[in-house]
Amino acid sequence: SQQGEEDPQALSIQEGENATMNCSYKTSINNLQWYRQNSGRGLVHLILIRSNEREKHSGRLRVTLDTSKKSSSLLITASRAADTASYFCATVPSGGGADGLTFGKGTHLIIQP
Amino acid sequence: NAGVMQNPRHLVRRRGQEARLRCSPMKGHSHVYWYRQLPEEGLKFMVYLQKENIIDESGMPKERFSAEFPKEGPSILRIQQVVRGDSAAYFCASSGTAGWVEKLFFGSGTQLSVL
């Protein structure tokens, strides 16, 4: 069964605004990862947050994890046109197992200049 | 320090032909993963390999699809007798540690088009 499900499916904001994307998942996880994909390219890893962590920062990115609600959020502050891409969350189930890193369908983010 | 290299970038095949997709992991990585992506969809796991071993192939169709990662050379994803439904982007990723406990490094993908 599919794990990470991103919300919203698409998001369009003005440059300089903050963008927030959410991810919900179904089963216990070892870690949750966020990736970015530019059109026609491979995925680029952004942040990994482990099940015992609640928040992580990397530059303009902030990720939170709420294991009680089985949800995570990705916040991009002061957005730039170059942030336009699809953003995917991916989960690794606790105990490993089959399927490994399972991706959602992504949030397509458009930054309007 | 080259990243994950995939080739070809684009591959066009007619129905019934064979498709061979290649992936060279990052230097020092011995774990390779193959994913398939349909338009407007997320990536679907296919197979996880280490050198000379298939660790998990639970996401790979039982027929027509096979994967290998030999001791020397790139990992190969092979699709025999391709059908139109095989048209997709195929991504390879690698990691230096077992499983998915650390981040994956992805290649740029091979876009397979079946005519």
Side-chain angles (χ1 to χ4, degrees):
Chain A
S1 62
Q2 188 157 5
Q3 271 281 52
E5 291 283 351
E6 295 88 348
D7 170 62
Q9 287 188 317
L11 179 61
S12 180
I13 61 173
Q14 294 294 125
E15 195 168 19
E17 293 180 337
N18 296 342
T20 299
M21 289 158 272
N22 302 297
C23 170
S24 60
Y25 56 92
K26 294 187 175 122
T27 61
S28 297
I29 60 170
N30 174 291
N31 68 73
L32 184 145
Q33 305 179 29
W34 284 91
Y35 287 80
R36 183 187 71 219
Q37 184 180 34
N38 291 91
S39 181
R41 307 296 296 179
L43 275 70
V44 174
H45 181 269
L46 297 176
I47 287 186
L48 181 154
I49 187 164
R50 303 188 191 283
S51 59
N52 61 351
E53 297 175 310
R54 290 297 165 258
E55 189 171 311
K56 247 184 157 174
H57 297 256
S58 177
R60 293 183 297 111
L61 306 180
R62 173 179 166 245
V63 167
T64 62
L65 179 65
D66 186 336
T67 53
S68 67
K69 294 181 180 178
K70 292 187 169 54
S71 67
S72 173
S73 68
L74 170 66
L75 169 67
I76 304 174
T77 60
S79 62
R80 305 168 182 169
D83 294 330
T84 294
S86 292
Y87 291 81
F88 296 89
C89 72
T91 54
V92 177
S94 54
D99 294 353
L101 198 60
T102 306
F103 288 84
K105 292 186 178 181
T107 291
H108 185 48
L109 176 64
I110 297 173
I111 308 299
Q112 307 277 5
Chain B
N1 185 17
V4 178
M5 304 300 293
Q6 287 189 250
N7 69 82
R9 192 81 172 83
H10 301 275
L11 182 61
V12 179
R13 285 287 177 265
R14 297 191 183 279
R15 281 179 296 171
Q17 291 184 320
E18 178 180 287
R20 278 180 174 248
L21 288 63
R22 294 175 184 77
C23 169
S24 295
M26 281 188 72
K27 188 177 180 180
H29 285 185
S30 59
H31 304 269
V32 166
Y33 315 79
W34 285 94
Y35 285 80
R36 176 165 63 179
Q37 185 178 35
L38 295 170
E40 306 302 321
E41 296 281 326
L43 276 70
K44 301 291 187 213
F45 168 77
M46 297 182 73
V47 61
Y48 164 29
L49 310 104
Q50 292 182 32
K51 286 281 188 182
E52 300 183 275
N53 286 307
I54 295 175
I55 305 302
D56 181 351
E57 57 182 347
S58 58
M60 197 157 67
K62 294 282 187 287
E63 297 182 356
R64 302 189 298 108
F65 286 73
S66 62
E68 63 176 10
F69 188 16
K71 188 176 180 181
E72 301 291 338
S75 174
I76 306 287
L77 179 67
R78 183 182 177 205
I79 311 172
Q80 296 178 288
Q81 299 173 341
V82 295
V83 301
R84 288 214 172 115
D86 296 333
S87 295
Y90 291 83
F91 290 95
C92 166
S94 73
S95 71
T97 54
W100 286 263
V101 293
E102 298 296 337
K103 65 183 180 182
L104 301 187
F105 293 84
F106 280 84
S108 295
T110 292
Q111 181 64 52
L112 172 65
S113 298
V114 179
L115 304 179

